[in-house]
Short mmCIF file of all heavy atoms in Angstrom, two decimals:
data_model
loop_
_atom_site.label_atom_id
_atom_site.label_comp_id
_atom_site.label_asym_id
_atom_site.label_seq_id
_atom_site.Cartn_x
_atom_site.Cartn_y
_atom_site.Cartn_z
N GLY A 1 21.88 -2.52 -15.73
CA GLY A 1 22.06 -3.93 -16.09
C GLY A 1 22.57 -4.80 -14.97
O GLY A 1 22.50 -6.04 -15.11
N GLU A 2 23.00 -4.22 -13.85
CA GLU A 2 23.48 -5.07 -12.75
C GLU A 2 22.29 -5.70 -12.02
O GLU A 2 21.20 -5.15 -11.97
CB GLU A 2 24.39 -4.30 -11.79
CG GLU A 2 23.71 -3.31 -10.90
CD GLU A 2 24.66 -2.76 -9.83
OE1 GLU A 2 24.93 -3.52 -8.86
OE2 GLU A 2 25.11 -1.60 -9.97
N THR A 3 22.57 -6.88 -11.45
CA THR A 3 21.53 -7.65 -10.77
C THR A 3 21.13 -7.00 -9.46
O THR A 3 21.98 -6.54 -8.70
CB THR A 3 22.03 -9.10 -10.52
OG1 THR A 3 22.32 -9.70 -11.76
CG2 THR A 3 20.96 -9.92 -9.77
N VAL A 4 19.82 -6.97 -9.22
CA VAL A 4 19.29 -6.48 -7.94
C VAL A 4 18.28 -7.46 -7.39
O VAL A 4 17.74 -8.29 -8.10
CB VAL A 4 18.66 -5.05 -8.08
CG1 VAL A 4 19.69 -4.00 -8.36
CG2 VAL A 4 17.61 -5.09 -9.20
N ILE A 5 18.04 -7.32 -6.07
CA ILE A 5 17.16 -8.25 -5.34
C ILE A 5 16.16 -7.43 -4.54
O ILE A 5 16.55 -6.48 -3.88
CB ILE A 5 17.99 -9.14 -4.38
CG1 ILE A 5 19.12 -9.82 -5.11
CG2 ILE A 5 17.07 -10.17 -3.69
CD1 ILE A 5 20.23 -10.29 -4.18
N ALA A 6 14.91 -7.77 -4.64
CA ALA A 6 13.85 -7.14 -3.83
C ALA A 6 13.29 -8.14 -2.86
O ALA A 6 13.01 -9.29 -3.22
CB ALA A 6 12.76 -6.56 -4.73
N ILE A 7 13.12 -7.71 -1.60
CA ILE A 7 12.49 -8.57 -0.57
C ILE A 7 11.34 -7.78 0.01
O ILE A 7 11.49 -6.59 0.33
CB ILE A 7 13.48 -8.98 0.54
CG1 ILE A 7 14.78 -9.57 -0.04
CG2 ILE A 7 12.82 -9.97 1.47
CD1 ILE A 7 15.80 -9.95 0.99
N GLY A 8 10.19 -8.40 0.18
CA GLY A 8 9.04 -7.68 0.76
C GLY A 8 7.92 -8.62 1.03
O GLY A 8 8.06 -9.86 1.10
N ASN A 9 6.74 -8.02 1.23
CA ASN A 9 5.55 -8.74 1.63
C ASN A 9 4.39 -8.48 0.70
O ASN A 9 3.35 -7.97 1.10
CB ASN A 9 5.17 -8.38 3.08
CG ASN A 9 6.30 -8.59 4.05
OD1 ASN A 9 6.55 -9.70 4.47
ND2 ASN A 9 6.99 -7.51 4.42
N PRO A 10 4.55 -8.78 -0.58
CA PRO A 10 3.45 -8.50 -1.55
C PRO A 10 2.21 -9.27 -1.24
O PRO A 10 2.30 -10.52 -1.03
CB PRO A 10 4.08 -8.90 -2.91
CG PRO A 10 5.09 -9.92 -2.57
CD PRO A 10 5.67 -9.50 -1.22
N PHE A 11 1.08 -8.62 -1.18
CA PHE A 11 -0.21 -9.26 -0.91
C PHE A 11 -0.22 -10.07 0.37
O PHE A 11 -0.99 -11.03 0.54
CB PHE A 11 -0.61 -10.16 -2.08
CG PHE A 11 -0.61 -9.49 -3.44
CD1 PHE A 11 0.38 -9.73 -4.35
CD2 PHE A 11 -1.61 -8.55 -3.74
CE1 PHE A 11 0.40 -9.05 -5.58
CE2 PHE A 11 -1.60 -7.89 -4.97
CZ PHE A 11 -0.60 -8.15 -5.89
N GLY A 12 0.66 -9.67 1.33
CA GLY A 12 0.69 -10.34 2.61
C GLY A 12 1.56 -11.59 2.61
O GLY A 12 1.70 -12.22 3.68
N PHE A 13 2.16 -11.98 1.49
CA PHE A 13 3.05 -13.13 1.46
C PHE A 13 4.41 -12.71 1.95
O PHE A 13 5.19 -12.07 1.21
CB PHE A 13 3.16 -13.74 0.03
CG PHE A 13 1.85 -14.32 -0.44
CD1 PHE A 13 1.10 -13.66 -1.38
CD2 PHE A 13 1.39 -15.51 0.06
CE1 PHE A 13 -0.10 -14.20 -1.86
CE2 PHE A 13 0.20 -16.08 -0.40
CZ PHE A 13 -0.54 -15.42 -1.36
N SER A 14 4.75 -13.05 3.20
CA SER A 14 5.92 -12.46 3.86
C SER A 14 7.22 -12.96 3.24
O SER A 14 7.34 -14.12 2.83
CB SER A 14 5.91 -12.80 5.35
OG SER A 14 5.99 -14.20 5.56
N HIS A 15 8.20 -12.08 3.23
CA HIS A 15 9.54 -12.35 2.81
C HIS A 15 9.60 -13.01 1.42
O HIS A 15 10.25 -14.08 1.24
CB HIS A 15 10.30 -13.17 3.85
CG HIS A 15 10.66 -12.36 5.05
ND1 HIS A 15 9.75 -12.04 6.05
CD2 HIS A 15 11.83 -11.73 5.38
CE1 HIS A 15 10.36 -11.27 6.96
NE2 HIS A 15 11.60 -11.09 6.57
N THR A 16 8.90 -12.40 0.48
CA THR A 16 8.97 -12.87 -0.91
C THR A 16 10.18 -12.24 -1.59
O THR A 16 10.42 -11.04 -1.45
CB THR A 16 7.69 -12.45 -1.65
OG1 THR A 16 6.57 -13.17 -1.07
CG2 THR A 16 7.77 -12.84 -3.10
N VAL A 17 10.94 -13.06 -2.29
CA VAL A 17 12.16 -12.59 -2.94
C VAL A 17 11.95 -12.56 -4.46
O VAL A 17 11.43 -13.54 -5.03
CB VAL A 17 13.33 -13.53 -2.63
CG1 VAL A 17 14.60 -13.11 -3.39
CG2 VAL A 17 13.60 -13.57 -1.12
N THR A 18 12.30 -11.48 -5.10
CA THR A 18 12.30 -11.36 -6.55
C THR A 18 13.64 -10.79 -6.99
O THR A 18 14.29 -10.05 -6.23
CB THR A 18 11.14 -10.50 -7.07
OG1 THR A 18 11.22 -9.20 -6.47
CG2 THR A 18 9.80 -11.12 -6.74
N THR A 19 14.04 -11.08 -8.20
CA THR A 19 15.28 -10.59 -8.73
C THR A 19 15.05 -9.91 -10.09
O THR A 19 14.04 -10.15 -10.75
CB THR A 19 16.33 -11.68 -8.89
OG1 THR A 19 15.85 -12.68 -9.81
CG2 THR A 19 16.66 -12.32 -7.55
N GLY A 20 16.00 -9.09 -10.49
CA GLY A 20 15.96 -8.44 -11.79
C GLY A 20 17.23 -7.67 -12.00
O GLY A 20 18.28 -8.00 -11.40
N VAL A 21 17.13 -6.65 -12.82
CA VAL A 21 18.29 -5.81 -13.08
C VAL A 21 17.89 -4.36 -12.92
O VAL A 21 16.69 -4.02 -12.90
CB VAL A 21 18.84 -6.03 -14.50
CG1 VAL A 21 19.33 -7.45 -14.67
CG2 VAL A 21 17.82 -5.66 -15.57
N ILE A 22 18.87 -3.48 -12.81
CA ILE A 22 18.62 -2.05 -12.86
C ILE A 22 18.34 -1.67 -14.32
O ILE A 22 19.19 -1.87 -15.18
CB ILE A 22 19.81 -1.25 -12.30
CG1 ILE A 22 19.94 -1.51 -10.80
CG2 ILE A 22 19.61 0.26 -12.57
CD1 ILE A 22 21.10 -0.81 -10.15
N SER A 23 17.14 -1.19 -14.57
CA SER A 23 16.71 -0.85 -15.92
C SER A 23 17.12 0.55 -16.31
O SER A 23 17.42 0.83 -17.47
CB SER A 23 15.20 -0.99 -16.05
OG SER A 23 14.77 -2.30 -15.68
N ALA A 24 17.11 1.47 -15.35
CA ALA A 24 17.46 2.88 -15.61
C ALA A 24 17.72 3.56 -14.28
O ALA A 24 17.32 3.09 -13.20
CB ALA A 24 16.35 3.57 -16.39
N LEU A 25 18.35 4.71 -14.34
CA LEU A 25 18.63 5.54 -13.17
C LEU A 25 18.04 6.94 -13.39
O LEU A 25 17.78 7.38 -14.49
CB LEU A 25 20.14 5.63 -12.93
CG LEU A 25 20.86 4.30 -12.68
CD1 LEU A 25 22.40 4.52 -12.68
CD2 LEU A 25 20.42 3.71 -11.35
N ASN A 26 17.85 7.64 -12.25
CA ASN A 26 17.40 9.03 -12.30
C ASN A 26 16.05 9.21 -12.99
O ASN A 26 15.83 10.16 -13.71
CB ASN A 26 18.45 9.94 -12.97
CG ASN A 26 19.75 9.98 -12.21
OD1 ASN A 26 19.76 10.10 -10.99
ND2 ASN A 26 20.86 9.89 -12.93
N ARG A 27 15.15 8.26 -12.74
CA ARG A 27 13.81 8.35 -13.28
C ARG A 27 12.96 9.30 -12.43
O ARG A 27 13.13 9.40 -11.23
CB ARG A 27 13.14 6.99 -13.31
CG ARG A 27 13.71 6.03 -14.32
CD ARG A 27 13.54 6.55 -15.75
NE ARG A 27 13.65 5.47 -16.72
CZ ARG A 27 13.94 5.65 -17.99
NH1 ARG A 27 14.14 6.88 -18.47
NH2 ARG A 27 14.01 4.61 -18.83
N SER A 28 12.00 9.99 -13.08
CA SER A 28 11.03 10.84 -12.39
C SER A 28 9.67 10.18 -12.48
O SER A 28 9.31 9.64 -13.53
CB SER A 28 10.97 12.24 -13.02
OG SER A 28 12.21 12.89 -12.87
N ILE A 29 8.92 10.21 -11.37
CA ILE A 29 7.60 9.61 -11.29
C ILE A 29 6.61 10.66 -10.84
O ILE A 29 6.79 11.33 -9.85
CB ILE A 29 7.59 8.46 -10.28
CG1 ILE A 29 8.63 7.41 -10.63
CG2 ILE A 29 6.21 7.78 -10.23
CD1 ILE A 29 8.80 6.34 -9.57
N ARG A 30 5.53 10.79 -11.62
CA ARG A 30 4.47 11.74 -11.26
C ARG A 30 3.31 11.00 -10.63
O ARG A 30 2.81 9.98 -11.14
CB ARG A 30 3.98 12.45 -12.53
CG ARG A 30 2.88 13.50 -12.25
CD ARG A 30 2.46 14.17 -13.51
NE ARG A 30 3.56 14.92 -14.12
CZ ARG A 30 3.89 16.17 -13.74
NH1 ARG A 30 3.21 16.78 -12.79
NH2 ARG A 30 4.90 16.80 -14.31
N THR A 31 2.91 11.45 -9.42
CA THR A 31 1.73 10.93 -8.75
C THR A 31 0.63 12.00 -8.84
O THR A 31 0.79 13.02 -9.50
CB THR A 31 2.04 10.56 -7.30
OG1 THR A 31 2.40 11.74 -6.59
CG2 THR A 31 3.17 9.56 -7.23
N GLU A 32 -0.44 11.79 -8.08
CA GLU A 32 -1.57 12.70 -8.16
C GLU A 32 -1.20 14.12 -7.64
O GLU A 32 -1.69 15.12 -8.15
CB GLU A 32 -2.75 12.19 -7.33
CG GLU A 32 -3.40 10.96 -7.95
CD GLU A 32 -4.57 10.49 -7.15
OE1 GLU A 32 -4.86 11.10 -6.08
OE2 GLU A 32 -5.23 9.50 -7.53
N ASP A 33 -0.31 14.18 -6.63
CA ASP A 33 -0.06 15.48 -6.03
C ASP A 33 1.39 15.94 -6.05
O ASP A 33 1.70 17.02 -5.62
CB ASP A 33 -0.52 15.46 -4.54
CG ASP A 33 0.17 14.37 -3.73
OD1 ASP A 33 0.81 13.50 -4.35
OD2 ASP A 33 0.05 14.41 -2.51
N ARG A 34 2.31 15.15 -6.59
CA ARG A 34 3.72 15.57 -6.65
C ARG A 34 4.50 14.75 -7.64
O ARG A 34 4.06 13.73 -8.14
CB ARG A 34 4.38 15.55 -5.27
CG ARG A 34 4.38 14.19 -4.61
CD ARG A 34 5.23 14.23 -3.34
NE ARG A 34 4.81 15.22 -2.43
CZ ARG A 34 3.95 15.02 -1.45
NH1 ARG A 34 3.43 13.83 -1.26
NH2 ARG A 34 3.61 15.98 -0.61
N VAL A 35 5.74 15.23 -7.90
CA VAL A 35 6.64 14.51 -8.76
C VAL A 35 7.86 14.08 -7.92
O VAL A 35 8.43 14.93 -7.22
CB VAL A 35 7.08 15.37 -9.96
CG1 VAL A 35 8.10 14.63 -10.80
CG2 VAL A 35 5.89 15.76 -10.82
N TYR A 36 8.24 12.82 -8.02
CA TYR A 36 9.42 12.33 -7.35
C TYR A 36 10.55 12.17 -8.38
O TYR A 36 10.32 11.67 -9.49
CB TYR A 36 9.15 10.98 -6.68
CG TYR A 36 8.09 11.04 -5.61
CD1 TYR A 36 6.78 10.66 -5.87
CD2 TYR A 36 8.42 11.40 -4.32
CE1 TYR A 36 5.82 10.70 -4.90
CE2 TYR A 36 7.46 11.47 -3.32
CZ TYR A 36 6.16 11.13 -3.62
OH TYR A 36 5.19 11.14 -2.65
N HIS A 37 11.77 12.58 -7.97
CA HIS A 37 12.87 12.56 -8.92
C HIS A 37 13.98 11.59 -8.50
O HIS A 37 14.09 11.19 -7.35
CB HIS A 37 13.47 13.96 -9.03
CG HIS A 37 12.54 15.00 -9.58
ND1 HIS A 37 12.32 15.17 -10.94
CD2 HIS A 37 11.72 15.91 -8.94
CE1 HIS A 37 11.41 16.14 -11.11
NE2 HIS A 37 11.06 16.59 -9.93
N HIS A 38 14.81 11.22 -9.48
CA HIS A 38 16.02 10.46 -9.26
C HIS A 38 15.80 9.06 -8.71
O HIS A 38 16.58 8.57 -7.89
CB HIS A 38 16.99 11.25 -8.33
CG HIS A 38 17.26 12.63 -8.80
ND1 HIS A 38 17.88 12.92 -10.00
CD2 HIS A 38 16.90 13.85 -8.27
CE1 HIS A 38 17.92 14.23 -10.17
NE2 HIS A 38 17.36 14.82 -9.15
N PHE A 39 14.70 8.41 -9.13
CA PHE A 39 14.44 7.05 -8.70
C PHE A 39 15.25 6.02 -9.50
O PHE A 39 15.66 6.27 -10.65
CB PHE A 39 12.95 6.74 -8.87
CG PHE A 39 12.12 7.14 -7.70
CD1 PHE A 39 12.51 8.12 -6.82
CD2 PHE A 39 10.88 6.53 -7.50
CE1 PHE A 39 11.73 8.48 -5.75
CE2 PHE A 39 10.09 6.88 -6.40
CZ PHE A 39 10.51 7.88 -5.55
N ILE A 40 15.46 4.88 -8.88
CA ILE A 40 16.05 3.71 -9.54
C ILE A 40 14.89 2.92 -10.19
O ILE A 40 13.90 2.65 -9.51
CB ILE A 40 16.79 2.78 -8.54
CG1 ILE A 40 17.89 3.55 -7.81
CG2 ILE A 40 17.34 1.57 -9.24
CD1 ILE A 40 18.46 2.80 -6.63
N GLN A 41 15.03 2.59 -11.45
CA GLN A 41 14.03 1.78 -12.10
C GLN A 41 14.58 0.34 -12.22
O GLN A 41 15.74 0.13 -12.60
CB GLN A 41 13.70 2.31 -13.49
CG GLN A 41 12.66 1.48 -14.25
CD GLN A 41 12.41 1.99 -15.66
OE1 GLN A 41 12.52 3.20 -15.91
NE2 GLN A 41 12.09 1.11 -16.57
N THR A 42 13.72 -0.65 -11.91
CA THR A 42 14.13 -2.04 -11.97
C THR A 42 13.01 -2.88 -12.56
O THR A 42 11.84 -2.49 -12.55
CB THR A 42 14.47 -2.58 -10.55
OG1 THR A 42 14.74 -3.99 -10.66
CG2 THR A 42 13.30 -2.37 -9.60
N ASP A 43 13.39 -4.04 -13.14
CA ASP A 43 12.36 -4.96 -13.62
C ASP A 43 12.11 -6.10 -12.63
O ASP A 43 11.38 -7.02 -12.95
CB ASP A 43 12.73 -5.51 -15.02
CG ASP A 43 13.96 -6.41 -14.98
OD1 ASP A 43 14.66 -6.47 -13.92
OD2 ASP A 43 14.23 -7.07 -16.01
N ALA A 44 12.71 -6.02 -11.44
CA ALA A 44 12.37 -7.00 -10.39
C ALA A 44 10.90 -6.82 -10.03
O ALA A 44 10.42 -5.69 -9.88
CB ALA A 44 13.26 -6.75 -9.14
N SER A 45 10.21 -7.92 -9.89
CA SER A 45 8.76 -7.85 -9.64
C SER A 45 8.49 -7.21 -8.31
O SER A 45 8.90 -7.66 -7.27
CB SER A 45 8.18 -9.26 -9.68
OG SER A 45 6.78 -9.21 -9.48
N ILE A 46 7.73 -6.09 -8.34
CA ILE A 46 7.35 -5.33 -7.14
C ILE A 46 5.87 -5.12 -7.16
O ILE A 46 5.32 -4.56 -8.10
CB ILE A 46 8.08 -3.98 -7.09
CG1 ILE A 46 9.61 -4.19 -6.97
CG2 ILE A 46 7.58 -3.13 -5.92
CD1 ILE A 46 10.42 -2.92 -7.03
N ASN A 47 5.19 -5.62 -6.15
CA ASN A 47 3.72 -5.60 -6.08
C ASN A 47 3.31 -4.88 -4.82
O ASN A 47 4.12 -4.57 -3.93
CB ASN A 47 3.19 -7.05 -6.07
CG ASN A 47 3.48 -7.74 -7.38
OD1 ASN A 47 2.94 -7.40 -8.41
ND2 ASN A 47 4.34 -8.75 -7.33
#
């Protein structure tokens, strides 16, 4: 629930700022070839 800030270059738009909150902790993500564990989940817009 605490506020977080993401800064990046989505679609080439440099230094774009988005905000949100921490939605969950210790999330696991499955990709095509492996599983990543203990990720931070956020609703800050990430593209």
Side-chain angles (χ1 to χ4, degrees):
E2 73 171 285
T3 299
V4 289
I5 308 159
I7 309 177
N9 304 282
F11 305 107
F13 294 106
S14 64
H15 286 79
T16 296
V17 177
T18 57
T19 61
V21 299
I22 293 179
S23 305
L25 300 170
N26 297 316
R27 289 297 199 201
S28 296
I29 304 172
R30 181 179 297 276
T31 63
E32 292 181 357
D33 58 348
R34 58 172 56 92
V35 177
Y36 298 97
H37 297 277
H38 308 296
F39 273 23
I40 302 167
Q41 180 183 328
T42 175
D43 67 349
S45 181
I46 296 175
N47 295 292

